[in-house]
Amino acid sequence: GQQLNQSPQSMFIQEGEDVSMNCTSSSIFNTWLWYKQEPGEGPVLLIALYKAGELTSNGRLTAQFGITRKDSFLNISASIPSDVGIYFCAGNSGGGADGLTFGKGTHLIIQP
Amino acid sequence: NAGVTQTPKFRILKIGQSMTLQCTQDMNHNYMYWYRQDPGMGLKLIYYSVGAGITDKGEVPNGYNVSRSTTEDFPLRLELAAPSQTSVYFCASSYIPNSPSGYTFGSGTRLTVV
């Protein structure tokens, strides 16, 4: 099946720092999405990408769909305490009806 | 606007017991999904459905069954619970497969099998 490698596994940063995480896949993806999960809740969509090379922002978050269609990154600028959580990349290589493949997540911890 | 509702939130089962995890959505979404989340492992797809009466296996379907008799409901059944099924289970839905708004997830059911 499809494999997604997400790194880093965890990040310990100071408030105000920028954050960068990425995902690579073993196959070409047509869709890349980035989700955030907080304790006791389901994942919530942050950014969706549908075209190779696409760069999309959502406030302090920026994500890009890699040109090769096998990778994506998420950047968070000027981190704040409420950014704490687990960030997941997800994607699909087909039409999407058969569900998304998820990365293992990046656990973001912010020290004030 | 409830979105995706999962019940129960927590459950402890003994080995060999059975149970049904309930999932209902009020957004008239055709596509529904069941994922399990194990620590450090991301989410893995168990079953999915593209509409009422249609279901299909995902990556990890063994030990589970689903049905989709209505658009709103997509229950997940565990017939003979095993410790390996200890996990957090998430139901999700979407209007179309690659919806710009992604999937809407429920808040999860934490299941422990002892």
Side-chain angles (χ1 to χ4, degrees):
Chain A
Q2 299 165 359
Q3 301 267 348
L4 277 185
N5 296 309
Q6 185 172 350
S7 64
Q9 187 174 353
S10 59
M11 300 183 74
F12 295 80
I13 64 168
Q14 299 285 341
E15 183 178 352
E17 287 184 19
D18 295 342
V19 172
S20 184
M21 60 191 78
N22 69 85
C23 269
T24 59
S25 67
S26 56
S27 56
I28 289 174
F29 274 35
N30 295 325
T31 306
W32 281 100
L33 302 104
W34 285 91
Y35 285 84
K36 179 187 179 186
Q37 185 180 29
E38 298 187 8
E41 298 296 329
V44 174
L45 182 69
L46 299 172
I47 293 178
L49 303 158
Y50 296 101
K51 202 162 55 172
E54 183 180 354
L55 183 70
T56 298
S57 293
N58 178 7
R60 293 178 296 104
L61 278 62
T62 301
Q64 184 160 30
F65 192 140
I67 292 292
T68 65
R69 295 169 65 192
K70 290 186 175 183
D71 64 323
S72 177
F73 72 75
L74 174 71
N75 288 340
I76 305 173
S77 63
S79 59
I80 59 177
S82 62
D83 290 334
V84 166
I86 303 176
Y87 292 79
F88 291 99
C89 61
N92 189 285
S93 61
D98 56 347
L100 295 170
T101 298
F102 281 82
K104 294 184 179 181
T106 295
H107 193 177
L108 181 60
I109 298 165
I110 298 175
Q111 299 164 332
Chain B
N1 189 4
V4 177
T5 302
Q6 290 184 239
T7 58
K9 288 193 180 299
F10 304 93
R11 183 73 186 268
I12 298 175
L13 278 183
K14 293 185 178 178
I15 294 171
Q17 286 186 319
S18 62
M19 77 164 292
T20 299
L21 283 68
Q22 302 290 347
C23 175
T24 186
Q25 51 92 9
D26 62 356
M27 298 171 286
N28 202 31
H29 285 174
N30 289 321
Y31 297 84
M32 295 188 75
Y33 308 87
W34 273 107
Y35 284 88
R36 60 176 286 171
Q37 183 177 31
D38 300 315
M41 295 301 293
L43 287 85
K44 292 191 181 296
L45 183 65
I46 305 171
Y47 270 94
Y48 66 97
S49 169
V50 302
I54 306 170
T55 63
D56 210 342
K57 296 177 180 179
E59 183 182 357
V60 290
N62 292 343
Y64 307 95
N65 278 302
V66 293
S67 60
R68 185 92 182 272
S69 56
T70 67
T71 298
E72 294 78 20
D73 300 307
F74 190 39
L76 178 72
R77 178 89 179 155
L78 283 70
E79 291 293 350
L80 289 170
S84 61
Q85 294 177 305
T86 294
S87 188
V88 182
Y89 292 83
F90 288 100
C91 178
S93 73
S94 68
Y95 182 60
I96 54 176
N98 285 324
S99 167
S101 56
Y103 293 3
T104 300
F105 281 86
S107 57
T109 295
R110 184 175 295 272
L111 176 67
T112 303
V113 182
V114 296

